[in-house]
Amino acid sequence: MRVLVTGGAGYIGSHTLLELMAQGHEVCVFDNYSNATPDVLTRVRSLSNGVIHDYVGDVRDSDKLDEVLQDFQPDAVIHFAGLKAVGESAEKPLYYYDVNVSGTLTLLRAMARAGCKKLIFSSSATVYGEPEYLPYDEAHPTNPTSVYGRTKLMAESILSDWAAAGDDRTAVLLRYFNPVGAHASAQIGEDPKDVPNNLMPFIAQVAVGKRDVLQVFGEDYDTPDGTGLRDYIHVVDLARAHVAAIDYAANAHGARAFNIGTGLSYSVRDMVSAFEKASGQQIPTKTVPRRAGDIAVMQADASRAKAELDWEATHGLDDMAASTWAWQSQNPDGYEQR
Ligand code: NAD
Ligand code: UDP
């Protein structure tokens, strides 16, 4: 299939390009590089030896989207482009609604003009909010606790309504749990521009000597070691879930949500231990108060994805830590030239 990948130069998008090309799909990237560098595509191209069409543009720019859709004529779109920092979303709510919600609307309108009717959407487990039961299944009530989460839920609603309004439209809503890890080549990985918000890149930067100490946000949760539990998913498994979603979308109609996780959960302490083992480095930690808005436990019931997408995670915790370490230690400044 011909797949347009918005946000394709980003962390998850870049890994997905490789998996799509490995399965024979033709890809085109549309990215404004607000959180990525063109060097990513240079690396992806050299890893794949494949053709990647690419356009620089913003998902809120309908003229530019028309140009790309006209030129590339995709069969499906994977929509990664968006903003993802929970804290920043509270400071800049209108910016988040504009990019994540208006951007999705603008893209859908452009797809309609081009006759493209299949979209795979980057949603998040954060749409669920405080668990009423665990693990979360897709029927769990949605009640996001952040602006970011609400932008994702609104985009899901728009996509569901859009898909219901025509017989041949498909929206696959992938609710990611906690993506971590890097490609086995150590050539592509997560490269946060500022201080990392997320646990794994923060640990990696401590291990490589860029930061002194990991702050553990709360050790008084009702969990075995008192720290938060999360369902970490290797980015290559996550990338493969998008390929499975593309295959599914070829024959499915309407909107359908899928949890993309492993069904397992690990604590902050588990992640630190796994990283120390993988890197051979000590990770100094300091316990600080809980981070506002954090939930004690997030864990997926990923059985729907297995049954309907024929997808399940295959990478374990050691692989998540080892691949992150390989990426971070071989690229201590990320994509920046040293
Ligand atoms: P990322 O920031 O690495 O990738 C997003 C890409 O989109 C970047 O290349 C960025 O330059 C581009 N982009 C941003 N705004 C744009 C715009 N207006 N127009 C065009 N391009 C734009 O993030 P990621 O971790 O790869 O996440 C991809 C998607 O998955 C996002 O929508 C994010 O909300 C969602 N998601 C991520 C996580 C996570 O923890 N990484 C978890 C759940 C959901
Ligand atoms: N966490 C932490 N220190 C950090 C970053 C995160 O202790 O510097 C904890 C956080 O409280 C949560 C887990 O690690 O329990 C995962 O947090 P992350 O921000 O990676 O993901 P999310 O909050 O989106 O689940």
Side-chain angles (χ1 to χ4, degrees), residues 6-14 30-37 57-60 79-84 95 99-100 121-125 148 152 174-179 190 198:
T6 76
Y11 171 45
I12 304 168
S14 55
F30 184 81
D31 202 300
N32 70 354
Y33 296 96
S34 59
N35 197 34
T37 146
D58 193 295
V59 282
R60 295 163 297 172
H79 182 33
F80 291 109
L83 304 171
K84 61 172 182 176
Y95 178 43
V99 174
N100 290 2
F121 180 62
S122 292
S123 190
S124 166
Y148 166 68
K152 288 290 174 187
L174 299 182
R175 294 176 174 164
Y176 313 157
F177 279 68
N178 286 65
E190 188 170 12
N198 295 113

mmCIF file of all heavy atoms in Angstrom, residues 6-14 30-37 57-60 79-84 95 99-100 121-125 148 152 174-179 190 198, ligand 1:
data_model
loop_
_atom_site.group_PDB
_atom_site.id
_atom_site.type_symbol
_atom_site.label_atom_id
_atom_site.label_comp_id
_atom_site.label_asym_id
_atom_site.label_seq_id
_atom_site.Cartn_x
_atom_site.Cartn_y
_atom_site.Cartn_z
ATOM 1 N N THR A 6 2.283 11.032 8.614
ATOM 2 C CA THR A 6 2.495 12.368 9.196
ATOM 3 C C THR A 6 3.323 12.193 10.472
ATOM 4 O O THR A 6 3.153 11.212 11.199
ATOM 5 C CB THR A 6 1.174 13.084 9.541
ATOM 6 O OG1 THR A 6 0.633 12.505 10.739
ATOM 7 C CG2 THR A 6 0.155 13.026 8.414
ATOM 8 N N GLY A 7 4.249 13.104 10.715
ATOM 9 C CA GLY A 7 5.111 12.953 11.885
ATOM 10 C C GLY A 7 6.072 11.779 11.729
ATOM 11 O O GLY A 7 6.564 11.225 12.715
ATOM 12 N N GLY A 8 6.362 11.434 10.492
ATOM 13 C CA GLY A 8 7.172 10.242 10.215
ATOM 14 C C GLY A 8 8.640 10.382 10.598
ATOM 15 O O GLY A 8 9.357 9.383 10.654
ATOM 16 N N ALA A 9 9.096 11.609 10.871
ATOM 17 C CA ALA A 9 10.497 11.785 11.292
ATOM 18 C C ALA A 9 10.647 11.691 12.809
ATOM 19 O O ALA A 9 11.757 11.793 13.330
ATOM 20 C CB ALA A 9 11.024 13.125 10.792
ATOM 21 N N GLY A 10 9.540 11.506 13.508
ATOM 22 C CA GLY A 10 9.591 11.452 14.972
ATOM 23 C C GLY A 10 10.025 10.084 15.482
ATOM 24 O O GLY A 10 10.375 9.179 14.707
ATOM 25 N N TYR A 11 9.974 9.960 16.791
ATOM 26 C CA TYR A 11 10.459 8.737 17.459
ATOM 27 C C TYR A 11 9.714 7.488 16.967
ATOM 28 O O TYR A 11 10.320 6.546 16.444
ATOM 29 C CB TYR A 11 10.296 8.933 18.972
ATOM 30 C CG TYR A 11 10.529 7.719 19.831
ATOM 31 C CD1 TYR A 11 11.616 6.874 19.630
ATOM 32 C CD2 TYR A 11 9.654 7.434 20.880
ATOM 33 C CE1 TYR A 11 11.828 5.769 20.450
ATOM 34 C CE2 TYR A 11 9.866 6.341 21.704
ATOM 35 C CZ TYR A 11 10.949 5.508 21.488
ATOM 36 O OH TYR A 11 11.154 4.425 22.294
ATOM 37 N N ILE A 12 8.407 7.473 17.096
ATOM 38 C CA ILE A 12 7.666 6.269 16.727
ATOM 39 C C ILE A 12 7.543 6.169 15.201
ATOM 40 O O ILE A 12 7.664 5.095 14.611
ATOM 41 C CB ILE A 12 6.274 6.263 17.405
ATOM 42 C CG1 ILE A 12 6.430 6.402 18.925
ATOM 43 C CG2 ILE A 12 5.516 4.975 17.083
ATOM 44 C CD1 ILE A 12 5.134 6.700 19.672
ATOM 45 N N GLY A 13 7.359 7.339 14.560
ATOM 46 C CA GLY A 13 7.212 7.361 13.100
ATOM 47 C C GLY A 13 8.428 6.780 12.396
ATOM 48 O O GLY A 13 8.291 5.992 11.442
ATOM 49 N N SER A 14 9.628 7.139 12.847
ATOM 50 C CA SER A 14 10.838 6.683 12.147
ATOM 51 C C SER A 14 10.962 5.154 12.225
ATOM 52 O O SER A 14 11.332 4.504 11.235
ATOM 53 C CB SER A 14 12.083 7.362 12.725
ATOM 54 O OG SER A 14 12.161 7.157 14.128
ATOM 55 N N PHE A 30 5.367 13.281 6.013
ATOM 56 C CA PHE A 30 4.932 14.682 6.060
ATOM 57 C C PHE A 30 5.201 15.162 7.473
ATOM 58 O O PHE A 30 4.593 14.676 8.427
ATOM 59 C CB PHE A 30 3.447 14.772 5.728
ATOM 60 C CG PHE A 30 2.918 16.175 5.653
ATOM 61 C CD1 PHE A 30 3.102 16.944 4.516
ATOM 62 C CD2 PHE A 30 2.238 16.744 6.726
ATOM 63 C CE1 PHE A 30 2.614 18.244 4.436
ATOM 64 C CE2 PHE A 30 1.747 18.038 6.660
ATOM 65 C CZ PHE A 30 1.932 18.795 5.519
ATOM 66 N N ASP A 31 6.149 16.101 7.636
ATOM 67 C CA ASP A 31 6.572 16.498 8.985
ATOM 68 C C ASP A 31 7.000 17.956 8.942
ATOM 69 O O ASP A 31 7.586 18.409 7.944
ATOM 70 C CB ASP A 31 7.754 15.599 9.422
ATOM 71 C CG ASP A 31 7.942 15.541 10.938
ATOM 72 O OD1 ASP A 31 8.176 16.602 11.536
ATOM 73 O OD2 ASP A 31 7.881 14.435 11.502
ATOM 74 N N ASN A 32 6.737 18.683 10.010
ATOM 75 C CA ASN A 32 7.205 20.083 10.039
ATOM 76 C C ASN A 32 8.508 20.228 10.832
ATOM 77 O O ASN A 32 8.988 21.332 11.039
ATOM 78 C CB ASN A 32 6.124 21.022 10.613
ATOM 79 C CG ASN A 32 5.890 20.818 12.104
ATOM 80 O OD1 ASN A 32 6.449 19.904 12.714
ATOM 81 N ND2 ASN A 32 5.054 21.661 12.694
ATOM 82 N N TYR A 33 9.036 19.134 11.288
ATOM 83 C CA TYR A 33 10.320 19.110 12.018
ATOM 84 C C TYR A 33 10.312 19.985 13.269
ATOM 85 O O TYR A 33 11.342 20.465 13.694
ATOM 86 C CB TYR A 33 11.498 19.442 11.074
ATOM 87 C CG TYR A 33 11.617 18.368 10.019
ATOM 88 C CD1 TYR A 33 11.028 18.547 8.764
ATOM 89 C CD2 TYR A 33 12.207 17.148 10.299
ATOM 90 C CE1 TYR A 33 11.056 17.540 7.811
ATOM 91 C CE2 TYR A 33 12.241 16.128 9.357
ATOM 92 C CZ TYR A 33 11.666 16.337 8.121
ATOM 93 O OH TYR A 33 11.687 15.326 7.198
ATOM 94 N N SER A 34 9.148 20.165 13.865
ATOM 95 C CA SER A 34 9.098 20.919 15.121
ATOM 96 C C SER A 34 9.705 20.094 16.249
ATOM 97 O O SER A 34 10.147 20.637 17.256
ATOM 98 C CB SER A 34 7.659 21.313 15.468
ATOM 99 O OG SER A 34 6.850 20.161 15.583
ATOM 100 N N ASN A 35 9.733 18.770 16.107
ATOM 101 C CA ASN A 35 10.346 17.928 17.137
ATOM 102 C C ASN A 35 11.160 16.805 16.504
ATOM 103 O O ASN A 35 11.174 15.678 17.000
ATOM 104 C CB ASN A 35 9.269 17.353 18.065
ATOM 105 C CG ASN A 35 9.871 16.840 19.366
ATOM 106 O OD1 ASN A 35 10.843 17.413 19.865
ATOM 107 N ND2 ASN A 35 9.332 15.768 19.905
ATOM 108 N N ALA A 36 11.833 17.134 15.418
ATOM 109 C CA ALA A 36 12.635 16.113 14.735
ATOM 110 C C ALA A 36 13.648 16.821 13.844
ATOM 111 O O ALA A 36 13.581 18.038 13.673
ATOM 112 C CB ALA A 36 11.747 15.216 13.882
ATOM 113 N N THR A 37 14.564 16.053 13.297
ATOM 114 C CA THR A 37 15.545 16.616 12.372
ATOM 115 C C THR A 37 15.538 15.782 11.086
ATOM 116 O O THR A 37 15.313 14.558 11.134
ATOM 117 C CB THR A 37 16.964 16.619 12.995
ATOM 118 O OG1 THR A 37 17.926 16.403 11.968
ATOM 119 C CG2 THR A 37 17.135 15.528 14.021
ATOM 120 N N GLY A 57 5.982 20.107 6.006
ATOM 121 C CA GLY A 57 4.728 20.850 6.117
ATOM 122 C C GLY A 57 4.059 20.593 7.438
ATOM 123 O O GLY A 57 4.432 19.672 8.186
ATOM 124 N N ASP A 58 3.061 21.430 7.694
ATOM 125 C CA ASP A 58 2.331 21.383 8.956
ATOM 126 C C ASP A 58 0.959 20.768 8.705
ATOM 127 O O ASP A 58 0.306 21.098 7.703
ATOM 128 C CB ASP A 58 2.194 22.824 9.491
ATOM 129 C CG ASP A 58 1.740 22.844 10.928
ATOM 130 O OD1 ASP A 58 0.608 22.409 11.210
ATOM 131 O OD2 ASP A 58 2.528 23.311 11.778
ATOM 132 N N VAL A 59 0.511 19.903 9.607
ATOM 133 C CA VAL A 59 -0.792 19.257 9.410
ATOM 134 C C VAL A 59 -1.962 20.232 9.507
ATOM 135 O O VAL A 59 -3.088 19.868 9.198
ATOM 136 C CB VAL A 59 -1.055 18.084 10.379
ATOM 137 C CG1 VAL A 59 -0.318 16.837 9.957
ATOM 138 C CG2 VAL A 59 -0.765 18.450 11.804
ATOM 139 N N ARG A 60 -1.700 21.462 9.900
ATOM 140 C CA ARG A 60 -2.776 22.455 9.891
ATOM 141 C C ARG A 60 -2.808 23.246 8.581
ATOM 142 O O ARG A 60 -3.631 24.137 8.417
ATOM 143 C CB ARG A 60 -2.601 23.407 11.085
ATOM 144 C CG ARG A 60 -2.763 22.703 12.423
ATOM 145 C CD ARG A 60 -2.196 23.525 13.557
ATOM 146 N NE ARG A 60 -0.755 23.712 13.397
ATOM 147 C CZ ARG A 60 -0.002 24.511 14.145
ATOM 148 N NH1 ARG A 60 -0.563 25.204 15.112
ATOM 149 N NH2 ARG A 60 1.300 24.616 13.927
ATOM 150 N N HIS A 79 -1.262 8.764 11.202
ATOM 151 C CA HIS A 79 -1.192 10.152 11.696
ATOM 152 C C HIS A 79 -0.498 10.210 13.058
ATOM 153 O O HIS A 79 -1.131 10.117 14.104
ATOM 154 C CB HIS A 79 -2.618 10.696 11.772
ATOM 155 C CG HIS A 79 -2.707 12.118 12.210
ATOM 156 N ND1 HIS A 79 -1.744 13.060 11.915
ATOM 157 C CD2 HIS A 79 -3.669 12.777 12.925
ATOM 158 C CE1 HIS A 79 -2.099 14.227 12.441
ATOM 159 N NE2 HIS A 79 -3.257 14.081 13.062
ATOM 160 N N PHE A 80 0.830 10.388 12.995
ATOM 161 C CA PHE A 80 1.629 10.547 14.219
ATOM 162 C C PHE A 80 1.779 12.011 14.614
ATOM 163 O O PHE A 80 2.073 12.310 15.773
ATOM 164 C CB PHE A 80 3.063 10.030 14.009
ATOM 165 C CG PHE A 80 3.213 8.551 13.844
ATOM 166 C CD1 PHE A 80 3.541 7.999 12.604
ATOM 167 C CD2 PHE A 80 3.080 7.700 14.925
ATOM 168 C CE1 PHE A 80 3.715 6.642 12.452
ATOM 169 C CE2 PHE A 80 3.254 6.327 14.783
ATOM 170 C CZ PHE A 80 3.569 5.803 13.538
ATOM 171 N N ALA A 81 1.706 12.916 13.631
ATOM 172 C CA ALA A 81 2.086 14.310 13.894
ATOM 173 C C ALA A 81 1.239 14.889 15.013
ATOM 174 O O ALA A 81 0.010 14.887 14.939
ATOM 175 C CB ALA A 81 1.924 15.138 12.626
ATOM 176 N N GLY A 82 1.901 15.369 16.034
ATOM 177 C CA GLY A 82 1.163 15.946 17.145
ATOM 178 C C GLY A 82 2.109 16.312 18.265
ATOM 179 O O GLY A 82 3.320 16.062 18.201
ATOM 180 N N LEU A 83 1.524 16.903 19.286
ATOM 181 C CA LEU A 83 2.286 17.331 20.462
ATOM 182 C C LEU A 83 1.966 16.363 21.587
ATOM 183 O O LEU A 83 0.835 15.889 21.700
ATOM 184 C CB LEU A 83 1.873 18.755 20.845
ATOM 185 C CG LEU A 83 2.032 19.777 19.719
ATOM 186 C CD1 LEU A 83 1.396 21.111 20.109
ATOM 187 C CD2 LEU A 83 3.514 19.970 19.369
ATOM 188 N N LYS A 84 2.948 16.097 22.471
ATOM 189 C CA LYS A 84 2.756 14.971 23.395
ATOM 190 C C LYS A 84 3.161 15.227 24.840
ATOM 191 O O LYS A 84 3.170 14.283 25.637
ATOM 192 C CB LYS A 84 3.510 13.757 22.860
ATOM 193 C CG LYS A 84 5.015 13.979 22.742
ATOM 194 C CD LYS A 84 5.758 12.694 22.402
ATOM 195 C CE LYS A 84 7.257 12.921 22.342
ATOM 196 N NZ LYS A 84 8.033 11.719 22.110
ATOM 197 N N TYR A 95 -2.695 25.794 21.898
ATOM 198 C CA TYR A 95 -1.708 25.246 20.958
ATOM 199 C C TYR A 95 -1.925 23.732 20.806
ATOM 200 O O TYR A 95 -1.919 23.187 19.693
ATOM 201 C CB TYR A 95 -0.322 25.572 21.510
ATOM 202 C CG TYR A 95 0.861 25.074 20.735
ATOM 203 C CD1 TYR A 95 0.911 25.157 19.336
ATOM 204 C CD2 TYR A 95 1.970 24.539 21.404
ATOM 205 C CE1 TYR A 95 2.024 24.706 18.641
ATOM 206 C CE2 TYR A 95 3.089 24.095 20.712
ATOM 207 C CZ TYR A 95 3.102 24.172 19.335
ATOM 208 O OH TYR A 95 4.207 23.724 18.663
ATOM 209 N N VAL A 99 -3.012 21.925 17.267
ATOM 210 C CA VAL A 99 -2.216 20.926 16.527
ATOM 211 C C VAL A 99 -2.907 19.559 16.562
ATOM 212 O O VAL A 99 -3.076 18.903 15.530
ATOM 213 C CB VAL A 99 -0.783 20.830 17.101
ATOM 214 C CG1 VAL A 99 -0.021 19.695 16.425
ATOM 215 C CG2 VAL A 99 -0.050 22.163 16.929
ATOM 216 N N ASN A 100 -3.318 19.125 17.743
ATOM 217 C CA ASN A 100 -3.796 17.739 17.857
ATOM 218 C C ASN A 100 -5.233 17.558 17.369
ATOM 219 O O ASN A 100 -5.567 16.506 16.814
ATOM 220 C CB ASN A 100 -3.684 17.253 19.306
ATOM 221 C CG ASN A 100 -2.229 17.060 19.731
ATOM 222 O OD1 ASN A 100 -1.310 17.323 18.956
ATOM 223 N ND2 ASN A 100 -2.009 16.620 20.960
ATOM 224 N N PHE A 121 -4.539 6.148 13.738
ATOM 225 C CA PHE A 121 -4.310 7.309 14.611
ATOM 226 C C PHE A 121 -3.500 6.934 15.846
ATOM 227 O O PHE A 121 -3.782 5.940 16.521
ATOM 228 C CB PHE A 121 -5.658 7.896 15.041
ATOM 229 C CG PHE A 121 -5.521 9.087 15.944
ATOM 230 C CD1 PHE A 121 -4.878 10.239 15.503
ATOM 231 C CD2 PHE A 121 -6.017 9.052 17.239
ATOM 232 C CE1 PHE A 121 -4.724 11.333 16.350
ATOM 233 C CE2 PHE A 121 -5.882 10.149 18.089
ATOM 234 C CZ PHE A 121 -5.233 11.292 17.636
ATOM 235 N N SER A 122 -2.519 7.808 16.172
ATOM 236 C CA SER A 122 -1.707 7.669 17.387
ATOM 237 C C SER A 122 -2.505 8.182 18.566
ATOM 238 O O SER A 122 -2.489 9.371 18.868
ATOM 239 C CB SER A 122 -0.470 8.563 17.299
ATOM 240 O OG SER A 122 0.417 8.136 16.340
ATOM 241 N N SER A 123 -3.189 7.287 19.253
ATOM 242 C CA SER A 123 -3.852 7.705 20.471
ATOM 243 C C SER A 123 -3.011 7.234 21.659
ATOM 244 O O SER A 123 -1.848 6.848 21.484
ATOM 245 C CB SER A 123 -5.283 7.167 20.524
ATOM 246 O OG SER A 123 -5.964 7.772 21.606
ATOM 247 N N SER A 124 -3.579 7.316 22.829
ATOM 248 C CA SER A 124 -2.775 7.058 24.019
ATOM 249 C C SER A 124 -3.635 6.437 25.107
ATOM 250 O O SER A 124 -4.828 6.752 25.236
ATOM 251 C CB SER A 124 -2.217 8.400 24.512
ATOM 252 O OG SER A 124 -1.704 8.257 25.808
ATOM 253 N N ALA A 125 -3.005 5.612 25.931
ATOM 254 C CA ALA A 125 -3.698 5.022 27.074
ATOM 255 C C ALA A 125 -4.149 6.098 28.056
ATOM 256 O O ALA A 125 -5.000 5.837 28.911
ATOM 257 C CB ALA A 125 -2.777 4.035 27.778
ATOM 258 N N TYR A 148 -3.595 17.258 27.255
ATOM 259 C CA TYR A 148 -3.080 16.353 26.208
ATOM 260 C C TYR A 148 -4.034 15.175 25.993
ATOM 261 O O TYR A 148 -4.421 14.865 24.861
ATOM 262 C CB TYR A 148 -1.681 15.858 26.609
ATOM 263 C CG TYR A 148 -1.202 14.695 25.787
ATOM 264 C CD1 TYR A 148 -0.898 14.860 24.435
ATOM 265 C CD2 TYR A 148 -1.072 13.422 26.339
ATOM 266 C CE1 TYR A 148 -0.468 13.779 23.664
ATOM 267 C CE2 TYR A 148 -0.645 12.349 25.580
ATOM 268 C CZ TYR A 148 -0.347 12.528 24.245
ATOM 269 O OH TYR A 148 0.068 11.473 23.487
ATOM 270 N N LYS A 152 -6.428 14.014 22.620
ATOM 271 C CA LYS A 152 -6.422 12.695 21.966
ATOM 272 C C LYS A 152 -7.830 12.112 21.926
ATOM 273 O O LYS A 152 -8.247 11.526 20.928
ATOM 274 C CB LYS A 152 -5.476 11.745 22.720
ATOM 275 C CG LYS A 152 -4.005 12.076 22.519
ATOM 276 C CD LYS A 152 -3.562 11.753 21.100
ATOM 277 C CE LYS A 152 -2.152 12.206 20.806
ATOM 278 N NZ LYS A 152 -1.763 12.050 19.405
ATOM 279 N N LEU A 174 -5.096 3.610 17.782
ATOM 280 C CA LEU A 174 -4.131 2.808 18.553
ATOM 281 C C LEU A 174 -3.802 3.545 19.840
ATOM 282 O O LEU A 174 -3.245 4.651 19.815
ATOM 283 C CB LEU A 174 -2.862 2.560 17.724
ATOM 284 C CG LEU A 174 -3.075 1.788 16.418
ATOM 285 C CD1 LEU A 174 -1.734 1.558 15.695
ATOM 286 C CD2 LEU A 174 -3.770 0.448 16.640
ATOM 287 N N ARG A 175 -4.185 2.926 20.948
ATOM 288 C CA ARG A 175 -3.947 3.541 22.259
ATOM 289 C C ARG A 175 -2.649 2.974 22.829
ATOM 290 O O ARG A 175 -2.628 1.883 23.403
ATOM 291 C CB ARG A 175 -5.134 3.253 23.194
ATOM 292 C CG ARG A 175 -6.406 3.924 22.710
ATOM 293 C CD ARG A 175 -7.604 3.571 23.569
ATOM 294 N NE ARG A 175 -8.774 4.330 23.158
ATOM 295 C CZ ARG A 175 -10.027 4.035 23.495
ATOM 296 N NH1 ARG A 175 -10.278 2.983 24.274
ATOM 297 N NH2 ARG A 175 -11.029 4.786 23.081
ATOM 298 N N TYR A 176 -1.589 3.752 22.629
ATOM 299 C CA TYR A 176 -0.275 3.269 23.064
ATOM 300 C C TYR A 176 -0.167 3.354 24.575
ATOM 301 O O TYR A 176 -0.561 4.349 25.178
ATOM 302 C CB TYR A 176 0.869 4.133 22.525
ATOM 303 C CG TYR A 176 0.865 4.500 21.072
ATOM 304 C CD1 TYR A 176 1.577 5.627 20.652
ATOM 305 C CD2 TYR A 176 0.203 3.753 20.097
ATOM 306 C CE1 TYR A 176 1.622 5.995 19.319
ATOM 307 C CE2 TYR A 176 0.240 4.125 18.759
ATOM 308 C CZ TYR A 176 0.954 5.253 18.379
ATOM 309 O OH TYR A 176 0.998 5.628 17.067
ATOM 310 N N PHE A 177 0.502 2.355 25.148
ATOM 311 C CA PHE A 177 0.881 2.465 26.555
ATOM 312 C C PHE A 177 2.224 3.215 26.593
ATOM 313 O O PHE A 177 2.285 4.311 26.076
ATOM 314 C CB PHE A 177 0.778 1.098 27.246
ATOM 315 C CG PHE A 177 -0.684 0.842 27.610
ATOM 316 C CD1 PHE A 177 -1.644 0.634 26.608
ATOM 317 C CD2 PHE A 177 -1.126 0.930 28.914
ATOM 318 C CE1 PHE A 177 -3.001 0.503 26.917
ATOM 319 C CE2 PHE A 177 -2.483 0.792 29.238
ATOM 320 C CZ PHE A 177 -3.416 0.575 28.239
ATOM 321 N N ASN A 178 3.290 2.709 27.193
ATOM 322 C CA ASN A 178 4.505 3.535 27.344
ATOM 323 C C ASN A 178 5.598 3.100 26.374
ATOM 324 O O ASN A 178 6.339 2.148 26.682
ATOM 325 C CB ASN A 178 5.011 3.450 28.785
ATOM 326 C CG ASN A 178 4.136 4.237 29.745
ATOM 327 O OD1 ASN A 178 2.966 3.895 29.938
ATOM 328 N ND2 ASN A 178 4.670 5.272 30.331
ATOM 329 N N PRO A 179 5.740 3.788 25.238
ATOM 330 C CA PRO A 179 6.756 3.378 24.271
ATOM 331 C C PRO A 179 8.170 3.658 24.786
ATOM 332 O O PRO A 179 8.448 4.747 25.293
ATOM 333 C CB PRO A 179 6.469 4.276 23.049
ATOM 334 C CG PRO A 179 5.134 4.892 23.286
ATOM 335 C CD PRO A 179 4.955 4.939 24.769
ATOM 336 N N GLU A 190 14.913 7.581 20.555
ATOM 337 C CA GLU A 190 14.215 8.754 21.096
ATOM 338 C C GLU A 190 15.237 9.837 21.426
ATOM 339 O O GLU A 190 16.237 9.563 22.086
ATOM 340 C CB GLU A 190 13.437 8.350 22.357
ATOM 341 C CG GLU A 190 12.525 9.454 22.861
ATOM 342 C CD GLU A 190 11.566 8.981 23.955
ATOM 343 O OE1 GLU A 190 11.750 7.871 24.496
ATOM 344 O OE2 GLU A 190 10.637 9.749 24.270
ATOM 345 N N ASN A 198 9.913 11.832 30.194
ATOM 346 C CA ASN A 198 9.605 10.425 30.422
ATOM 347 C C ASN A 198 10.748 9.696 31.122
ATOM 348 O O ASN A 198 11.902 10.097 31.050
ATOM 349 C CB ASN A 198 9.280 9.739 29.087
ATOM 350 C CG ASN A 198 8.022 10.308 28.464
ATOM 351 O OD1 ASN A 198 8.085 10.938 27.430
ATOM 352 N ND2 ASN A 198 6.887 10.107 29.114
HETATM 353 P P1 NAD B 1 7.612 12.824 18.277
HETATM 354 O O1 NAD B 1 7.507 14.210 18.788
HETATM 355 O O2 NAD B 1 8.954 12.175 18.250
HETATM 356 O O3 NAD B 1 7.001 12.726 16.816
HETATM 357 C C1 NAD B 1 5.996 13.598 16.354
HETATM 358 C C2 NAD B 1 6.425 14.104 14.992
HETATM 359 O O4 NAD B 1 5.406 14.979 14.515
HETATM 360 C C3 NAD B 1 7.720 14.918 15.052
HETATM 361 O O5 NAD B 1 8.566 14.494 14.009
HETATM 362 C C4 NAD B 1 7.263 16.367 14.848
HETATM 363 O O6 NAD B 1 8.250 17.144 14.198
HETATM 364 C C5 NAD B 1 6.001 16.168 14.029
HETATM 365 N N1 NAD B 1 5.008 17.246 14.196
HETATM 366 C C6 NAD B 1 4.598 17.817 15.342
HETATM 367 N N2 NAD B 1 3.673 18.767 15.091
HETATM 368 C C7 NAD B 1 3.487 18.769 13.743
HETATM 369 C C8 NAD B 1 2.652 19.509 12.876
HETATM 370 N N3 NAD B 1 1.840 20.471 13.337
HETATM 371 N N4 NAD B 1 2.703 19.250 11.555
HETATM 372 C C9 NAD B 1 3.544 18.296 11.068
HETATM 373 N N5 NAD B 1 4.364 17.571 11.845
HETATM 374 C C10 NAD B 1 4.332 17.798 13.169
HETATM 375 O O7 NAD B 1 6.582 11.942 19.122
HETATM 376 P P2 NAD B 1 6.369 10.375 19.164
HETATM 377 O O8 NAD B 1 6.767 9.901 20.514
HETATM 378 O O9 NAD B 1 6.926 9.729 17.964
HETATM 379 O O10 NAD B 1 4.790 10.337 19.128
HETATM 380 C C11 NAD B 1 4.067 10.215 17.930
HETATM 381 C C12 NAD B 1 2.582 10.282 18.230
HETATM 382 O O11 NAD B 1 2.252 9.277 19.177
HETATM 383 C C13 NAD B 1 2.122 11.608 18.827
HETATM 384 O O12 NAD B 1 0.878 11.945 18.263
HETATM 385 C C14 NAD B 1 1.979 11.296 20.305
HETATM 386 O O13 NAD B 1 1.008 12.096 20.929
HETATM 387 C C15 NAD B 1 1.546 9.840 20.264
HETATM 388 N N6 NAD B 1 1.897 9.118 21.491
HETATM 389 C C16 NAD B 1 3.176 9.109 21.930
HETATM 390 C C17 NAD B 1 3.495 8.466 23.124
HETATM 391 C C18 NAD B 1 4.907 8.481 23.658
HETATM 392 O O14 NAD B 1 5.078 8.260 24.854
HETATM 393 N N7 NAD B 1 5.928 8.695 22.844
HETATM 394 C C19 NAD B 1 2.493 7.805 23.852
HETATM 395 C C20 NAD B 1 1.196 7.813 23.362
HETATM 396 C C21 NAD B 1 0.907 8.482 22.170
#
